[in-house]
Amino acid sequence: SQWFASAGLMEHAIKLSLEAKDYESSLVMIGEVSYDLWAKGRHATLLSFGESLPDEYILQQPEFCLYYSWILINAGSAVKAEHFLQSAEEKVEERLRVIGNDSEDTQDDLLLKGKIAVAHASLCNMTGSFEKIEYYSSVALEHLTDDEPLWCSWRWFTIALKDIAIGNLPEAISSLNRALTYGKKSSNIYLVSTIAI
């Protein structure tokens, strides 16, 4: 595992580390690659990593909790996803309390808080908890910037799905247009085609 990691072959390194049940090392390496794997649509790989780790290890890392939860949401595992999302939210809030407002890490954690809120809103759409979508969408809006078009797009798409479900079509069309604008900026073909459909 260490040899593969030193050669930059992180997926092989992680797989071997998981086979050896070296969960601490596995989690550190997963933390280094989870965003890239998620952004590139390598969801099956992330899912296999999550399934190989005991839950108590996953819960230690809010970033991986976020990406793993997103995959679980799309796989229809709402209850399991909610558990990890709740933990991610709590860990980020705890870190923000500890580091205060003057740290560079604060901005990273606030951004992560916005992303977690988007995932929560998406989960609420799946479970029909429409009243919570507004809350999580406002949290996401507060912490996401235009430098995060992928997450902004998912936020607007989630709002659009809620409006479609409750029959508010004019608002849904407006939200879909905003989602599409951000989606195009993100260059994520899957996201753009999903919104367009």
Side-chain angles (χ1 to χ4, degrees):
S1 176
Q2 290 173 359
W3 185 89
F4 277 115
S6 67
L9 301 168
M10 297 302 289
E11 286 182 52
H12 295 297
I14 293 166
K15 287 175 186 173
L16 290 168
S17 182
L18 288 168
E19 285 176 20
K21 299 190 183 328
D22 182 359
Y23 299 128
E24 293 287 348
S25 297
S26 301
L27 196 61
V28 170
M29 291 186 285
I30 289 170
E32 294 175 18
V33 299
S34 59
Y35 175 75
D36 286 338
L37 291 173
W38 180 82
K40 292 176 181 174
R42 304 284 309 283
H43 296 180
T45 301
L46 282 173
L47 187 61
S48 71
F49 292 163
E51 290 172 345
S52 299
L53 280 166
D55 287 0
E56 61 266 24
Y57 285 89
I58 298 172
L59 295 170
Q60 294 175 21
Q61 192 180 88
E63 292 85 354
F64 183 60
C65 276
L66 168 63
Y67 302 120
Y68 187 47
S69 297
W70 191 271
I71 294 162
L72 291 171
I73 290 167
N74 289 301
S77 298
V79 174
K80 191 172 183 179
E82 187 170 19
H83 174 63
F84 291 117
L85 272 181
Q86 190 64 43
S87 175
E89 186 175 23
E90 290 168 4
K91 291 277 188 207
V92 169
E93 289 293 348
E94 184 181 313
R95 287 194 320 211
L96 286 167
R97 279 193 301 274
V98 170
I99 62 178
N101 295 325
D102 298 330
S103 170
E104 185 178 310
D105 291 337
T106 301
Q107 293 308 311
D108 292 338
D109 280 334
L110 289 173
L111 180 59
L112 182 57
K113 183 177 179 176
K115 293 176 181 180
I116 292 168
V118 172
H120 265 301
S122 183
L123 179 61
C124 290
N125 246 331
M126 185 179 183
T127 60
S129 304
F130 299 132
E131 69 284 351
K132 292 182 180 177
I133 292 172
E134 292 300 324
Y135 167 74
Y136 284 118
S137 293
S138 67
V139 171
L141 181 63
E142 182 181 350
H143 299 297
L144 294 176
T145 67
D146 285 347
D147 294 336
E148 294 289 337
L150 179 73
W151 290 96
C152 290
S153 181
W154 277 115
R155 175 191 176 269
W156 283 109
F157 184 59
T158 300
I159 293 170
L161 291 178
K162 181 260 302 178
D163 285 328
I164 290 169
I166 64 174
N168 191 352
L169 296 183
E171 289 296 322
I173 291 168
S174 175
S175 295
L176 284 171
N177 283 326
R178 289 179 175 189
L180 191 59
T181 299
Y182 279 112
K184 288 177 181 177
K185 289 178 185 175
S186 77
S187 301
N188 185 303
I189 300 301
Y190 170 77
L191 176 56
V192 171
S193 60
T194 301
I195 296 165
I197 289 167

